[in-house]
Amino acid sequence: MSLLSVRNLSVAFPTQNGWFQAVEGINLTVNPNEILAIVGESGSGKSVAMLALMNLLPPQARITCDELVLDGKNLLQLTATERRRLNGGTVAMIFQEPMTSLNPCFTVGYQIDEAVKTHVGGGRKERKEQVLSLLESVGIPDPARRYDAYPHQMSGGMSQRAMIAMALAGQPKLLIADEPTTALDVTVQAQILELLLKLQQQFQMGLILITHDMGVVAETAQQVVVQYAGQQVEKNSAYELFNHPHHPYTAALLSALPERALPTGLLPTIPGLVPGQHNRPQGCLFAPRCAYQQARCQTEVPALAQQQQGWIRCFYPLETETML
Amino acid sequence: MLKFIFNKLLMLIPTLLGITLAAFLFVRLLPGDPVTVLTGERGVSVERKAELMAQLGLDQPLIVQYGYYLKNILSGDFGQSIATHKPVIDEFFSRLPATLELAFAAMLIAVLLGVPAGIIAAIKRGHWPDHVVMGVALTGYSMPIFWWGLLLIILFSTTLGWTPVSGRIDLIKYYFEAETNFMLIDAWRSGQAGAFGSVVHHLILPAVVLSTIPMAVIARQTRSAMLEVLGEDYIRTAYAKGLSPTRVIMVHALRNALITVVTVIGLQVGSLMAGAVLTETIFAWPGIGKWMIEAIARRDYPAVQGGLLFIAVAVMLVNLLVDVLYGWINPRVRDGK
Ligand SMILES: Nc1ncnc2c1ncn2[C@@H]1O[C@H](COP(=O)(O)OP(=O)(O)OP(=O)(O)O)[C@@H](O)[C@H]1O
Ligand SMILES: [Mg+2]
């Protein structure tokens, strides 16, 4: 049985000009102990979709979903309080900006202890032991001293480690990491990623890893979802997706990888921007930027359809040879 | 921390010098002089007046008078009240407790009502509790204190008969020695049944009047600070941990919002003194404010000069205290970052 199963999740935000569809009908399945990567440019609704899972969106957001099952529990039937109790317990999340994600007024130890208190309990002393061992397991040197440190006394990498410790406190079965390394120094990025993968193995967690970085995906994920302007455009196993990308957007993302750079040494970038609320195309959302678009793409909306191994939202999926 | 306080104290010196000069000039710019006021409407002969002025040292050029004044301050002599011939410093400190008691009670009311009102307004933003709180705050803020005080006296004292019109205690029923001049403390220590209650009873209406403006300001500032903080990433983290909304708001959000609110409370202390002058006058409250008004009316130069100087020092000390408190609740400042 899958750990997480999401069917047809949509999120819209009210704006002055009506509803803005930030996430449109996404489906996800994460198996226990599996790493699923979600990739896509800024504004493609990756964070919003995850926050919707965690029920962390502001109340004005309109969330609709046909099925939302986490660890055997139908979340759609739970009250807000019951769902809240799962947060930090069954499912935990870490964010892009570790420095602003920790409360500046409380020590790191205190903030991790809150998670332990909420989900594990125990006396003061036991909990402190627990927090110290969490700090240790995320590779924070001198945990006893760091316990009393305030967030501003820590570097970005250390803060992200603390966030990871906090997320682990409730022994989650699913960890959502929303661009956990984007805000960090390049040298630290690899360390944090490595740590996440090690912990995922150690604690046998499902992991949803959101990233812009196809290179990271290639190294880590078993399953990949490519998201564009709130829609999923391609889903496949990492192996298939990297070897046989079918959607032109996926292909474009892949060709932006350094090791696939053009012989000139230049990284090809995808011209144009993700459509926002006001310039949503009528047909395929990617059509205006697509090198392979045809007349039909501009008027009709392609559906996410199962083709060969994976799922692709495209009328004219690429064959691998076309791309190379 | 001690160094921080010491530096702050050093920086107060030029400000205080400026205040002595301002106070010195202010009283002398008022029309009339102490002798004319003292001798009443019929006045005295020109020679007698000159003699009295000379006695008070007021015949000297301004610059010389100011020089003497400064010199005396430096030796700890703040002069004598022309009206009572008592040292200004004694006059001030015998009345200070009454004002402190009133101001403290007012601030307590302002904080205890203003902060929760601001929190409620923030979490119910755009809904009726928000509109009610903001409406009341705006009204309170624009209320002329004098008029507002009289209105409350008419309602609660005259019409309903719930509160006394003036004074600090029922003098007919209770008598005890003034030890600290804090009536609440003295009444408590006297052990007389009902004395403490009577003091509270007398204190409540003037304190409410004086609290009105700071309460409005605190409510508005708490609301906007909370709204800002509630949008922060760490609030999302707190929810993601599974904490209850109450805990997220009252611990994670409020603690950060208070950093701003404490500063605002500190800034209110200055205007609280201004409000105290009016409130004490309305309620015949024997504190600094009422004393200052009387001293000005009598052109009691030393009293006004000394009073203004002491008030300035008091306000500055409170602000220093707020700075220290600010450092205490804001870890980033504590580290000198
Ligand atoms: N609370 C909100 N109200 C209105 N619009 C929102 C809100 N939160 C997000 N959006 C919009 O939803 C869209 C998707 O945002 P989201 O943060 O999910 O993108 P993302 O894929 O995570 O991008 P990034 O890679 O930059 O993190 C964006 O256009 C954003 O402006
Ligand atoms: Mg995001």
Side-chain angles (χ1 to χ4, degrees):
Chain A
M1 195 186 64
S2 54
L3 176 61
L4 173 74
S5 153
V6 181
R7 249 182 347 102
N8 201 18
L9 171 70
S10 297
V11 181
F13 294 105
T15 69
Q16 269 118 5
N17 317 297
W19 292 93
F20 168 54
Q21 197 73 40
V23 171
E24 207 176 314
I26 68 160
N27 301 314
L28 286 174
T29 306
V30 182
N31 293 312
N33 203 17
E34 179 184 67
I35 302 182
L36 171 94
I38 304 181
V39 287
E41 278 166 290
S42 227
S44 54
K46 306 181 298 289
S47 301
V48 170
M50 293 306 112
L51 293 173
L53 293 186
M54 302 275 293
N55 208 18
L56 290 180
L57 286 172
Q60 69 270 20
R62 188 181 65 191
I63 307 169
T64 58
C65 191
D66 292 346
E67 181 186 294
L68 186 54
V69 179
L70 172 68
D71 193 30
K73 290 191 196 70
N74 184 351
L75 300 193
L76 298 179
Q77 283 174 352
L78 300 185
T79 63
T81 310
E82 289 166 331
R83 284 191 67 175
R84 192 193 83 220
R85 296 219 168 94
L86 298 177
N87 283 356
T90 312
V91 53
M93 185 160 177
I94 58 174
F95 302 95
Q96 182 172 343
E97 296 284 347
M99 306 285 266
T100 55
S101 293
L102 289 166
N103 192 325
C105 283
F106 298 97
T107 63
V108 170
Y110 179 87
Q111 295 185 55
I112 299 174
D113 180 56
E114 273 188 316
V116 175
K117 197 154 66 179
T118 310
H119 298 286
V120 186
R124 198 180 262 271
K125 264 185 85 179
E126 292 166 42
R127 295 203 315 263
K128 178 146 190 185
E129 293 285 301
Q130 174 71 20
V131 173
L132 291 177
S133 88
L134 281 166
L135 288 172
E136 178 115 49
S137 66
V138 296
I140 290 184
D142 200 356
R145 199 168 59 87
R146 290 297 183 182
Y147 187 97
D148 293 315
Y150 283 92
H152 71 267
Q153 297 163 329
M154 314 234 296
S155 66
M158 279 300 146
S159 301
Q160 193 61 298
R161 283 175 197 270
M163 285 294 293
I164 295 172
M166 192 188 293
L168 292 179
Q171 290 149 5
K173 297 186 176 165
L174 176 65
L175 178 63
I176 301 175
D178 187 357
E179 303 192 36
T181 62
T182 311
L184 304 176
D185 287 348
V186 185
T187 45
V188 186
Q189 290 188 353
Q191 294 170 15
I192 295 291
L193 197 65
E194 202 175 309
L195 173 71
L196 269 179
L197 298 178
K198 190 191 96 187
L199 293 168
Q200 185 262 334
Q201 283 298 312
Q202 187 180 336
F203 295 99
Q204 303 280 299
M205 294 181 288
L207 174 65
I208 298 181
L209 181 64
I210 296 180
T211 175
H212 291 268
D213 189 340
M214 274 297 195
V216 169
V217 179
E219 286 167 35
T220 56
Q222 281 110 45
Q223 298 289 327
V224 186
V225 173
V226 181
Q227 205 158 309
Y228 185 79
Q231 296 180 334
Q232 294 179 330
V233 297
E234 182 159 7
K235 289 205 292 185
N236 215 332
S237 70
Y239 180 85
E240 277 296 316
L241 190 108
F242 276 87
N243 288 298
H244 308 286
H246 296 296
H247 196 284
Y249 181 60
T250 314
L253 284 179
L254 285 178
S255 60
L257 278 174
E259 54 271 32
R260 300 194 185 193
L262 298 174
T264 56
L266 291 174
L267 288 178
T269 46
I270 314 169
L273 291 171
V274 182
Q277 191 194 355
H278 307 291
N279 52 354
R280 270 175 107 78
Q282 266 196 343
C284 170
L285 294 183
F286 187 58
R289 301 170 70 188
C290 182
Y292 307 95
Q293 60 151 315
Q294 318 238 347
R296 184 181 174 200
C297 305
Q298 295 180 6
T299 49
E300 276 181 66
V301 186
L304 188 67
Q306 188 149 29
Q307 294 178 22
Q308 296 144 41
Q309 321 274 332
W311 293 78
I312 296 126
R313 190 190 289 278
C314 184
F315 292 125
Y316 308 101
L318 303 177
E319 293 311 317
T320 316
E321 289 68 32
T322 344
M323 180 220 144
L324 290 175
Chain B
M1 199 71 211
L2 280 177
K3 191 159 170 262
F4 169 79
I5 295 175
F6 183 74
N7 283 341
K8 286 266 177 188
L9 284 174
L10 265 184
M11 286 184 342
L12 292 187
I13 292 174
T15 322
L16 286 177
L17 206 62
I19 287 168
T20 57
L21 183 61
F24 178 86
L25 290 178
F26 161 71
V27 278
R28 282 167 178 75
L29 282 175
L30 292 173
D33 56 72
V35 173
T36 313
V37 177
L38 267 181
T39 51
E41 295 206 333
R42 286 176 38 212
V44 283
S45 66
V46 179
E47 297 79 40
R48 178 73 186 129
K49 181 173 174 188
E51 201 180 310
L52 287 170
M53 289 292 271
Q55 259 181 27
L56 295 169
L58 296 174
D59 55 341
Q60 308 273 348
L62 277 186
I63 183 82
V64 176
Q65 290 184 34
Y66 184 63
Y68 274 120
Y69 175 51
L70 273 191
K71 181 174 151 274
N72 288 339
I73 288 179
L74 286 180
S75 59
D77 174 10
F78 294 91
Q80 282 191 354
S81 162
I82 295 176
T84 63
H85 302 293
K86 285 194 209 147
V88 168
I89 195 160
D90 294 351
E91 295 268 355
F92 181 86
F93 280 100
S94 69
R95 288 177 175 85
L96 181 65
T99 300
L100 284 184
E101 202 165 70
L102 176 62
F104 187 76
M107 223 38 188
L108 198 71
I109 296 174
V111 171
L112 288 185
L113 295 180
V115 170
I119 296 175
I120 291 170
I123 56 186
K124 297 282 176 203
R125 170 159 68 155
H127 296 278
W128 68 263
D130 183 20
H131 298 313
V132 170
V133 168
M134 285 302 100
V136 171
L138 186 65
T139 317
Y141 186 69
S142 26
M143 196 72 82
I145 291 215
F146 210 88
W147 182 81
W148 174 231
L150 291 179
L151 205 69
L152 289 189
I153 290 180
I154 291 170
L155 177 62
F156 289 106
S157 308
T158 320
T159 312
L160 295 170
W162 288 356
T163 55
V165 180
S166 66
R168 298 176 74 189
I169 189 167
D170 195 336
L171 287 168
I172 299 169
K173 285 198 202 140
Y174 310 101
Y175 178 77
F176 43 80
E177 286 299 322
E179 282 179 79
T180 61
N181 274 322
F182 286 98
M183 202 58 100
L184 284 170
I185 299 176
D186 287 350
W188 185 263
R189 295 218 317 214
S190 76
Q192 293 181 37
F196 187 78
S198 170
V199 175
V200 173
H201 194 206
H202 280 75
L203 180 58
I204 202 137
L205 201 58
V208 165
V209 170
L210 184 54
S211 77
T212 306
I213 289 178
M215 190 196 304
V217 175
I218 289 171
R220 281 161 49 154
Q221 291 295 331
T222 305
R223 176 183 181 271
S224 65
M226 280 299 275
L227 283 179
E228 189 176 329
V229 165
L230 284 172
E232 296 283 348
D233 285 353
Y234 51 78
I235 296 301
R236 191 184 53 194
T237 307
Y239 280 118
K241 259 196 285 206
L243 300 183
S244 70
T246 319
R247 191 170 167 85
V248 175
I249 290 165
M250 298 310 289
V251 176
H252 284 262
L254 186 58
R255 179 65 186 269
N256 283 277
L258 279 184
I259 294 175
T260 338
V261 175
V262 163
T263 317
V264 172
I265 293 174
L267 292 175
Q268 286 305 302
V269 172
S271 47
L272 200 68
M273 288 312 299
V277 172
L278 291 173
T279 313
E280 288 180 2
T281 308
I282 307 170
F283 288 92
W285 193 264
I288 302 296
K290 185 159 160 284
W291 176 59
M292 278 280 93
I293 292 285
E294 288 162 3
I296 291 170
R298 289 199 208 99
R299 305 293 185 272
D300 191 341
Y301 292 175
V304 177
Q305 285 167 188
L308 288 179
L309 183 61
F310 293 142
I311 290 173
V313 172
V315 170
M316 287 174 184
L317 286 181
V318 171
N319 281 328
L320 179 65
L321 191 74
V322 170
D323 276 346
V324 172
L325 202 63
Y326 183 82
W328 178 67
I329 62 173
N330 187 348
R332 280 166 296 193
V333 173
R334 205 183 313 162
D335 284 7
K337 265 206 174 178

